[in-house]
Amino acid sequence: MPLSIQKLANRLTFRQLQVFKAVYDLKSYSKAGELLGLTQPAVSSQVRHLEQALEMPMFEYVGRKLYCTAAGEEMAACVRSVFHELADMQNRLAALEGRVAGDLRLVAVSTAQYVVPYLLRSFLEQNPQVNISVAVVNRATALERLNENSDDLVIMGMVPQGKPLTSLPFLDNELVPVVPAGHPLLEQGSVSPDEFLDSQLLTRESGSGSRLALEVYCQKHRLKMEPVMELGSNDAVKHAVLAGLGVAVIPKLSILSELALGSLTALDIKGFPLRRSWCVVHPQGRHPTPAMKAFIDYIQRNIAEFDSLFRRLGS
């Protein structure tokens, strides 16, 4: 016979819920213990007391791998809801005192990872009680996470059209054509787009923002684009160019040091640099938390300052 709510409440503790969530998320008693500062026996004891209170097993081992039971999955949904409500309460209490607090989950496409640290410094100085996590992903993953509404804000370029998204452009993203030191194109007085694209073009993988920007440029100007190699990150593309494997169109902010040292050179080619905007994006239907609203307001207030800062960095 199911336990009454009162009896169940008397048997459960917040610590048990916290330990359960850690084990569920990490699928490991030992890793949960490391996260929470507990020994593995202490974690096992907390889970055992929870299972005794609910009179059902939460986890089971198949071989050496830990799995969550059907009852455990139900418990996980309940625990997520409890922790979400607690976080909302914390935010509301902070708002009553005129403070901004709580978690802010940001996702940045890999091109934007060079920008995000500069955005966060002043914001955190003004809002020290906001806990920020930043996940750096490729464009395809960022779009998936936007569709799933699994994060607070996404920082990306080339926001997809025709989707219910709210976006705030805040900074130009310059994509420049670069070659390594000693490249034959540097000896020419001028370089055409065709000559550059035919010089062992290296690109990001299909679907990435910088690759898409170059594809749009080539389609607009009826240019042939045939990469000799695709790489999975801007750093990988940069190092491939440095190694002499070819040429590439790369976000300028990702190669400032190399440009200053002369190990890479940005060519003066008609139509370049390609200019796109970095944007702060979230689904239109998402109700902003106080931390989300504070960050969006902060970006809006400081657009001119960001532009000035990054111009100085790029000069």
Side-chain angles (χ1 to χ4, degrees):
M1 186 175 180
L3 292 169
S4 69
I5 295 297
Q6 184 63 47
K7 287 183 178 179
L8 185 58
N10 289 338
R11 292 188 182 188
L12 295 178
T13 67
F14 182 79
R15 188 59 162 171
Q16 289 169 2
L17 302 184
Q18 186 183 38
V19 170
F20 169 85
K21 185 176 184 301
V23 175
Y24 178 86
D25 290 342
L26 299 172
K27 296 297 185 288
S28 167
Y29 285 86
S30 59
K31 290 180 181 178
E34 291 173 7
L35 176 67
L36 299 173
L38 298 173
T39 64
Q40 184 170 333
V43 171
S44 299
S45 176
Q46 291 286 351
V47 172
R48 185 167 60 253
H49 283 104
L50 176 66
E51 292 175 331
Q52 290 171 350
L54 296 172
E55 299 179 348
M56 299 187 79
M58 300 289 103
F59 302 101
E60 61 186 3
Y61 278 100
V62 177
R64 300 181 65 180
K65 192 170 182 179
L66 188 67
Y67 291 88
C68 190
T69 65
E73 293 291 349
E74 292 294 332
M75 186 65 186
C78 178
V79 169
R80 278 195 297 269
S81 178
V82 168
F83 276 74
H84 179 74
E85 290 298 324
L86 287 172
D88 279 353
M89 180 189 70
Q90 181 187 37
N91 294 342
R92 291 193 298 270
L93 291 176
L96 289 175
E97 295 181 347
R99 296 180 290 109
V100 177
D103 296 329
L104 179 62
R105 296 166 299 174
L106 301 179
V107 168
V109 296
S110 55
T111 307
Q113 65 181 303
Y114 310 100
V115 173
V116 173
Y118 294 97
L119 304 182
L120 297 184
R121 180 177 176 180
S122 294
F123 177 78
L124 288 172
E125 288 175 354
Q126 297 168 25
N127 303 279
Q129 292 182 304
V130 174
N131 301 311
I132 296 182
S133 63
V134 182
V136 178
V137 301
N138 61 26
R139 176 180 167 84
T141 302
L143 293 175
E144 287 176 10
R145 294 175 75 143
L146 265 176
N147 290 335
E148 294 168 359
N149 197 18
S150 56
D151 307 281
D152 293 320
L153 297 168
V154 175
I155 298 174
M156 66 187 304
M158 302 194 72
V159 179
Q161 301 297 309
K163 293 193 174 186
L165 299 171
T166 297
S167 65
L168 170 64
F170 66 90
L171 186 68
D172 279 347
N173 175 20
E174 291 188 4
L175 303 171
V176 296
V178 297
V179 299
H183 194 279
L185 290 180
L186 292 172
E187 299 175 4
Q188 297 184 199
S190 63
V191 178
S192 70
D194 279 314
E195 288 175 314
F196 176 79
L197 293 171
D198 288 340
S199 300
Q200 299 289 105
L201 181 66
L202 310 171
T203 68
R204 288 284 308 276
E205 74 284 4
S206 294
S208 74
S210 55
R211 167 73 173 263
L212 184 58
L214 183 56
E215 287 173 343
V216 170
Y217 169 82
C218 290
Q219 289 170 4
K220 180 179 178 181
H221 296 278
R222 298 182 180 180
L223 297 169
K224 185 181 293 185
M225 176 180 156
E226 295 181 344
V228 297
M229 186 182 300
E230 297 180 358
L231 298 109
S233 71
N234 290 313
D235 274 345
V237 174
K238 175 179 73 175
H239 286 288
V241 176
L242 287 169
L245 296 179
V247 303
V249 176
I250 303 179
K252 186 176 181 180
L253 281 176
S254 69
I255 54 170
L256 294 180
S257 297
E258 290 77 14
L259 292 175
L261 292 170
S263 54
L264 292 179
T265 299
L267 297 177
D268 184 11
I269 300 176
K270 184 179 180 180
F272 289 90
L274 305 181
R275 298 185 184 275
R276 298 294 182 268
S277 292
W278 275 298
C279 304
V280 176
V281 185
H282 65 85
Q284 284 181 0
R286 186 177 182 88
H287 182 70
T289 66
M292 281 178 62
K293 187 176 186 306
F295 189 77
I296 292 170
D297 291 345
Y298 161 78
I299 294 293
Q300 285 181 313
R301 288 195 310 269
N302 291 281
I303 287 176
E305 285 77 3
F306 295 145
D307 181 67
S308 176
L309 169 63
F310 287 103
R311 284 185 184 277
R312 291 198 303 272
L313 289 173
S315 63

